[in-house]
Amino acid sequence: MGKLELVQSLKTDSGRIWNVSWHPKGTALASCGEDKSIRIWTKDLRGKWINKVVLTDGHKRTIRQIAWSPSGNYLASASFDATTCIWDKKCGEFECNATLEGHDNEVKSVAWSSSGLFLATCSRDKSVWVWEVNDEDEYDCTSVINSHTQDVKKVVFHPSDNFLASCSYDDTIKLYKDEPSEFEWICYETLKGHTSTVWSISYDSTGTRLASCSDDCTVKIWKEYPTGFPPGNGGPTWKCICTLDGYHDRTIYDISWCHSTGLIATACGDDCIRVFKEDAGSDSDAPTFSMVTKEKGHNQDVNCVTWNPEVPGLLASCSDDGDIKLWEFKK
Amino acid sequence: MFNFLKKKSTENEEQKQTIITPYSAADITELKDTIYDVIRTIKDPEKPNTLEQLEVVYEDGIMVSQPRTSEFFVVRIEFNPTIPHCSLATLIGLCIRIKVERNIPNRIKLDIFIKKGAHATEEEINKQINDKERIAAAMENPNLKEMVENCIMEEDC
């Protein structure tokens, strides 16, 4: 067993916090929510996390998600006002220097590719858009993919290659790749298994496994079989190799797979944060995971959990109760 | 009235710790009554009557349980749209959710369902009115928000 020790509670009076995102160097945390603003938290000289920057004039409605570019120079925000804003610090302070329009309604998620060359967004309009990032702060939409049949809840890029994953209210997960011959991103795989909305997905450090969480109160682990399944049977395919059932009491809103420790954290509508660890020596085609801790993290639904990319074991969470909390996982 | 929601808190310098008082069966009955009082006066979106008068909501439609290990109640509200193809069932569900969330402070988790067999697309509607992201977005839509506010307005205040 392990435990989550509270490092610091960051109070806001801004209502529901939907999302928190670590700067790629792990030195800053951005948060967003129903108050339509973005807050950036950094450590002061005494080591306390404080809110130094509040960005307010980008969006007219709830900001659902924010994402730092791999360089840390840009911040993208996805809003219910149907736009995505790109913020940068070129003039010394963060300013919104590009607004991406095109979705019919709420943009629910935004993600940068590992190269920083692509940006993906998704919406209640059921589409996933991939944008190419050009030199002069120009973002050209290269693909509009209409493969889901309902709202798309989240988009996530592969940790190192040009692959993209999305999950939806239609209970499925879809995988996409850049098809240079067609100058387009295409959907090449649909993962079925969840019996209700898939709220979030997270790749492991290698990008060969994906964890998903759902309104059906389960977590599923999916694995890539590059030569088909059983191996040798044709093209790449993905298969569910593990289902974590019976641990969560309500909808699971978010999942984060730590790229340094391999730990999986979940954010649940029962106010709790859970951490799962793969059992030593478990079969790679049918792995087993154990819950190593369950912590009542907040006073209301936990909406997001995310591991710090540089400090192993440091986890950030946020909730409908308006709080952001930093935790240290201890064995 | 809100006895059952009271919590004692002790404050450390760094961290607030909350000690929850245990609940009794009487608390659960009181909570059910309070919730019913909140929803029975919601007005039907197109008729001059309340949901209680139209028997869209009823006392037996409220179920309260408390998972053993948790500090919250799970409240399940069932409602019965008057006609199986009622196009306003989603709006009624939205009104029930918003009014309960505004009038009953934390510590409840709300699930809203259409009475089984009462609507042609009940599963679709159930999924929609229990998706908090869709609810949040709907309430930022000025037209929908106005419709909801009109239905849940208390006339006697």
Side-chain angles (χ1 to χ4, degrees), chain B residues 10 12 36 55 61 64 79 98 101 104 118 120 130 147 153 157:
Chain B
T10 50
N12 298 341
Y36 187 65
E55 293 175 15
V64 176
F79 71 103
I98 297 300
E101 283 178 355
I104 309 286
N130 289 294
M147 280 195 265
M153 201 171 16
C157 322

Side-chain angles (χ1 to χ4, degrees), chain A residues 62 64 151 271 301 303, chain B residues 109 127 132-134 140:
Chain A
T62 287
R64 178 63 180 89
D151 317 20
D271 310 347
D301 294 4
N303 291 324
Chain B
K109 300 286 181 183
K127 192 169 183 180
K132 71 173 188 181
E133 188 180 44
R134 282 205 172 187
E140 290 189 354

Side-chain angles (χ1 to χ4, degrees), chain A residues 184-220:
Chain A
E184 261 208 316
W185 285 70
I186 56 159
C187 173
Y188 71 96
E189 181 81 294
T190 301
L191 312 185
K192 291 181 185 162
H194 282 295
T195 55
S196 189
T197 303
V198 187
W199 277 90
S200 188
I201 42 182
S202 181
Y203 277 106
D204 75 348
S205 59
T206 65
T208 59
R209 290 193 296 174
L210 189 71
S212 59
C213 64
S214 166
D215 180 55
D216 69 12
C217 301
T218 72
V219 166
K220 285 182 183 287

Side-chain angles (χ1 to χ4, degrees), chain A residues 13-214:
Chain A
D13 290 318
S14 45
R16 173 183 281 162
I17 312 284
W18 273 113
N19 188 246
V20 282
S21 173
W22 288 107
H23 184 280
K25 290 201 173 74
T27 51
L29 183 75
S31 65
C32 66
E34 69 177 0
D35 78 341
K36 310 171 189 73
S37 70
I38 300 168
R39 284 159 205 271
I40 300 174
W41 307 78
T42 45
K43 265 188 185 178
D44 68 8
L45 294 171
R46 295 174 303 132
K48 286 277 162 206
W49 292 86
I50 52 163
N51 178 211
K52 283 217 179 113
V53 178
V54 183
L55 308 175
T56 50
D57 33 285
H59 292 290
K60 294 185 187 74
R61 294 190 185 178
T62 287
I63 304 178
R64 178 63 180 89
Q65 207 203 310
I66 59 251
W68 294 92
S69 68
S71 66
N73 293 332
Y74 297 88
L75 188 62
S77 55
S79 166
F80 286 177
D81 69 10
T83 71
T84 306
C85 285
I86 312 292
W87 307 76
D88 68 56
K89 239 176 154 171
K90 289 206 182 92
C91 310
E93 287 176 4
F94 272 103
E95 275 178 20
C96 172
N97 282 326
T99 301
L100 313 186
E101 292 173 350
H103 282 294
D104 290 340
N105 45 44
E106 300 96 81
V107 186
K108 304 200 172 215
S109 175
V110 59
W112 300 84
S113 70
S114 61
S115 61
L117 297 176
F118 293 103
L119 191 76
T121 57
C122 64
S123 161
R124 183 164 65 86
D125 69 11
K126 305 172 189 172
S127 67
V128 171
W129 291 41
V130 181
W131 309 76
E132 210 171 291
V133 182
N134 292 323
D135 291 340
E136 289 136 38
D137 289 341
E138 286 209 353
Y139 297 80
D140 295 326
C141 174
T142 63
S143 303
V144 175
I145 315 158
N146 286 297
S147 52
H148 282 294
T149 59
Q150 295 286 344
D151 317 20
V152 190
K153 293 290 195 189
K154 185 111 180 185
V155 279
V156 172
F157 275 97
H158 184 282
S160 49
D161 281 330
N162 282 341
F163 293 105
L164 176 69
S166 66
C167 58
S168 164
Y169 190 88
D170 71 8
D171 309 351
T172 72
I173 299 159
K174 302 231 177 221
L175 305 177
Y176 313 84
K177 61 181 175 184
D178 185 14
E179 193 64 61
S181 62
E182 295 177 31
F183 301 102
E184 261 208 316
W185 285 70
I186 56 159
C187 173
Y188 71 96
E189 181 81 294
T190 301
L191 312 185
K192 291 181 185 162
H194 282 295
T195 55
S196 189
T197 303
V198 187
W199 277 90
S200 188
I201 42 182
S202 181
Y203 277 106
D204 75 348
S205 59
T206 65
T208 59
R209 290 193 296 174
L210 189 71
S212 59
C213 64
S214 166

Side-chain angles (χ1 to χ4, degrees), chain A residues 6-7 9 11 16 18 34 36 48 61-62 64 80 106 108 124 150-151 153 169-171 196-197 199 249-250 253 269-271 294 296 299-303 320, chain B residues 7 14-16 18 67 69-72 74-75 97 101 106-111 123-138 140-142:
Chain A
L6 185 67
V7 175
S9 182
K11 303 255 171 212
R16 173 183 281 162
W18 273 113
E34 69 177 0
K36 310 171 189 73
K48 286 277 162 206
R61 294 190 185 178
T62 287
R64 178 63 180 89
F80 286 177
E106 300 96 81
K108 304 200 172 215
R124 183 164 65 86
Q150 295 286 344
D151 317 20
K153 293 290 195 189
Y169 190 88
D170 71 8
D171 309 351
S196 189
T197 303
W199 277 90
D249 298 327
R250 309 271 306 166
Y253 289 111
D270 66 2
D271 310 347
K294 173 185 169 185
K296 187 188 171 290
N299 289 323
Q300 291 183 50
D301 294 4
V302 189
N303 291 324
D320 282 353
Chain B
K7 54 186 181 186
E14 281 298 294
Q15 191 185 341
K16 257 190 202 167
T18 310
T69 53
S70 51
E71 293 166 0
F72 51 76
V74 175
V75 175
R97 176 170 292 278
E101 283 178 355
N106 329 351
R107 308 240 162 260
I108 69 161
K109 300 286 181 183
L110 191 54
D111 297 320
E123 280 181 25
E124 207 176 295
I125 295 171
N126 287 343
K127 192 169 183 180
Q128 204 170 340
I129 57 180
N130 289 294
D131 180 316
K132 71 173 188 181
E133 188 180 44
R134 282 205 172 187
I135 303 282
E140 290 189 354
N141 174 322

